[in-house]
Amino acid sequence: MIYQRSSALFKAAQNVIPGGVNSPVRAFKAVGGDPIFVKQAKGAYLYDEDGNKLIDYINSWGPMILGHAHESVVNAVVEKAKKGTSFGMPTEIETQIAELAVSMVPNIDKIRFVNSGTEACMSAVRLARGYTGKDKIIKFAGCYHGHSDSFLIQAGSGAVTFGSPNSPGVTKGTAQDTLLAKYNDLANVESIITSNTNEIACIIIEPVAGNMGCIPPVKGFLEGLRALCDTHNILLIFDEVMTGFRLAKGGAQELLGVNADIVTFGKVIGGGLPVGAFAAREEIMNHLAPLGPVYQAGTLSGNPLAMAAGLAMLTELNDNPEIFKSIANKTEYLHKGIADVLNKYNVVHTINRLGSMISVHFAEESVVDFDTAAIGNNDTFKKFFHGLLNNGIYIAPSAFETWFITEALTYDDLDTTIAAVEKVASTINL
Ligand SMILES: *Cc1c(COP(=O)(O)O)cnc(C)c1O
């Protein structure tokens, strides 16, 4: 495939946008080459600026669970836009989407809308600190909760009590309040809690990790966290920005049967417009301004276009709950097809999957946390990525990302993808 125009556009972008992109993951730094510029998309397909058609497994990193330019979502936005794009005053649609979200998700009474997953997680942690009167938080190595300061903390040589920032600009003071734990390691969490008695406000976790590839929680892990939180008066925050309205109507809480105290959302909840949200039971949410002392605000929060897209998306999912099973089945089919091909060509690999989240790791060991996710052979991934791209399949340009399966993908698309994997596995020495 030819990417001449994309490369020219990337060159122009680099002159005026740092690295040519408005979010680093879009650059192809991890895999080499120039990013592809999209012209338009419909259903399961992307059409780029060079006229290539690609089967899309990123889907805006999750939001387009029904495929691109879904009619009801697009119509809702277009109709809303004609009536004004922002007021900074309350609108009825905010209550409508809030009522729907609260009815779909277990264990929440009230929800506050923001503009991104980052904002949702940042605000959820502030709320947890305000509610508990404690400062420290526990997060897990390899879990991503957006780019606010508290979350950009590195797993430095087991120094869990004095984490060091992994981005310049994050202060040591901030880093010290974030304690790093190992995913799927309950004993590790327990020891961190024991050495910080009465100091921990919350544990924030991706209930199914999706930002180090897909890593499901091992049996008993989330239940164990729930019990630890109850014992030690710590709030459990499920970051469901990726899993919310994807794994089930009620997200991971529903699918896995574990209740969180605060839940954060993003991605699917906005139907492709910038929306995030955080939610909890009434007693916690009432600590937020203007009812309570914990401040949180936003000029464009609850924006009518964003709410229209989100409401249309959630309505589709609420009215057609069989979608969740359908995309999980498609994901299972893809898993089996890819595994058969990679086995046939003796490519060392591990595939993780839960619901409609799946990731292919080029490692033999099972991938259960950040350390084991990092073992995968990145050179193999690069060849795999570019090989698929040359065959019209677009997966995330990083070995640490989940593939997002959408309802728009047909079994023909999946077969085309599996055939492309076979082509790559047979012609490139993976
Ligand atoms: C994408 C993501 C975020 C950040 O959301 P943005 O809208 O990119 O700010 C937070 N948490 C998880 C689990 C995510 O996948």
Side-chain angles (χ1 to χ4, degrees):
M1 290 199 177
I2 294 171
Y3 294 106
Q4 235 167 356
R5 190 165 154 72
S6 270
S7 290
L9 289 171
F10 184 49
K11 222 168 162 192
Q14 283 171 291
N15 289 332
V16 282
I17 300 172
V21 290
N22 280 312
S23 193
V25 290
R26 293 175 200 170
F28 276 16
K29 266 192 123 163
V31 291
D34 291 346
I36 291 159
F37 277 58
V38 184
K39 190 164 193 179
Q40 62 188 66
K42 181 72 188 166
Y45 313 116
L46 294 169
Y47 301 87
D48 73 13
E49 289 282 357
D50 287 283
N52 301 307
K53 177 182 174 186
L54 302 165
I55 300 181
D56 187 13
Y57 285 95
I58 300 187
N59 288 288
S60 186
W61 305 85
M64 319 316 299
I65 194 167
L66 304 177
H68 291 283
H70 193 268
E71 208 180 336
S72 61
V73 176
V74 171
N75 288 345
V77 174
V78 168
E79 286 312 308
K80 212 60 178 167
K82 293 177 186 162
K83 295 175 179 157
T85 54
S86 182
F87 314 111
M89 294 166 73
T91 53
E92 184 180 8
I93 194 169
E94 293 164 80
T95 306
Q96 290 168 342
I97 185 173
E99 282 173 351
L100 183 55
V102 165
S103 78
M104 291 171 80
V105 177
N107 204 29
I108 63 170
D109 302 317
K110 292 187 177 178
I111 185 165
R112 166 81 43 101
F113 285 91
V114 293
N115 306 290
S116 67
T118 295
E119 261 186 81
C121 294
M122 177 186 86
S123 307
V125 164
R126 184 183 304 144
L127 177 58
R129 285 173 163 152
Y131 179 79
T132 59
K134 297 186 276 186
D135 287 346
K136 293 186 179 174
I137 69 171
I138 293 179
K139 85 168 277 285
F140 294 86
C143 280
Y144 182 66
H145 306 294
H147 61 89
S148 89
D149 288 0
S150 304
F151 301 127
L152 294 180
I153 310 300
Q154 201 166 43
S157 58
V160 285
T161 42
F162 286 96
S164 60
N166 74 347
S167 167
V170 176
T171 66
K172 282 206 189 73
T174 299
Q176 282 171 12
D177 283 333
T178 299
L179 309 172
L180 263 179
K182 276 182 78 146
Y183 202 85
N184 276 331
D185 188 341
L186 205 53
N188 176 240
V189 178
E190 195 161 8
S191 81
I192 294 170
I193 294 174
T194 311
S195 45
N196 294 274
T197 343
N198 291 326
E199 290 188 280
I200 298 168
C202 62
I203 295 176
I204 183 165
I205 187 167
E206 291 178 66
V208 178
N211 285 288
M212 43 183 166
C214 166
I215 301 188
V218 296
K219 210 168 182 316
F221 178 57
L222 295 179
E223 291 82 351
L225 290 182
R226 178 69 269 168
L228 282 173
C229 285
D230 290 341
T231 306
H232 297 278
N233 211 6
I234 295 168
L235 294 185
L236 182 59
I237 303 178
F238 274 5
D239 176 353
E240 298 228 36
V241 170
M242 194 180 286
T243 54
F245 306 103
R246 169 169 289 280
L247 293 182
K249 266 193 199 185
Q253 283 196 100
E254 178 188 325
L255 188 74
L256 305 175
V258 180
N259 284 350
D261 297 301
I262 306 178
V263 191
T264 63
F265 299 104
K267 301 193 168 115
V268 175
I269 199 173
L273 268 80
V275 179
F278 57 107
R281 47 186 192 273
E282 183 163 20
E283 160 211 0
I284 296 174
M285 290 306 274
N286 286 354
H287 273 66
L288 275 181
L291 274 185
V294 177
Y295 198 70
Q296 187 280 322
T299 300
L300 292 174
S301 292
N303 171 271
L305 302 196
M307 295 296 96
L311 181 60
M313 174 64 87
L314 296 196
T315 302
E316 288 285 344
L317 297 173
N318 192 49
D319 292 350
N320 305 288
E322 68 281 358
I323 286 172
F324 299 107
K325 183 81 186 121
S326 170
I327 51 177
N329 288 344
K330 288 176 184 178
T331 310
E332 186 180 1
Y333 182 87
L334 188 68
H335 179 166
K336 197 174 170 308
I338 293 176
D340 286 348
V341 167
L342 294 181
N343 286 332
K344 181 170 158 193
Y345 293 93
N346 296 316
V347 179
V348 170
H349 73 280
T350 298
I351 298 178
N352 280 5
R353 169 175 59 90
L354 191 79
S356 57
M357 294 162 65
I358 182 171
S359 56
V360 181
H361 304 259
F362 294 103
E364 212 149 13
E365 299 79 3
S366 41
V367 175
V368 295
D369 59 14
F370 188 60
D371 291 339
T372 44
I375 291 172
N377 187 327
N378 205 39
D379 286 334
T380 306
F381 180 80
K382 284 185 203 175
K383 287 190 229 167
F384 185 66
F385 170 83
H386 283 291
L388 287 184
L389 186 54
N390 282 327
N391 285 285
I393 312 294
Y394 191 51
I395 64 169
S398 156
F400 296 103
E401 302 289 355
T402 298
W403 305 28
F404 298 99
I405 308 305
T406 76
E407 183 61 354
L409 284 162
T410 63
Y411 280 88
D412 270 354
D413 294 326
L414 300 176
D415 285 336
T416 304
T417 305
I418 294 162
V421 171
E422 170 136 32
K423 212 166 153 198
V424 174
S426 64
T427 54
I428 300 175
N429 193 9
L430 289 179

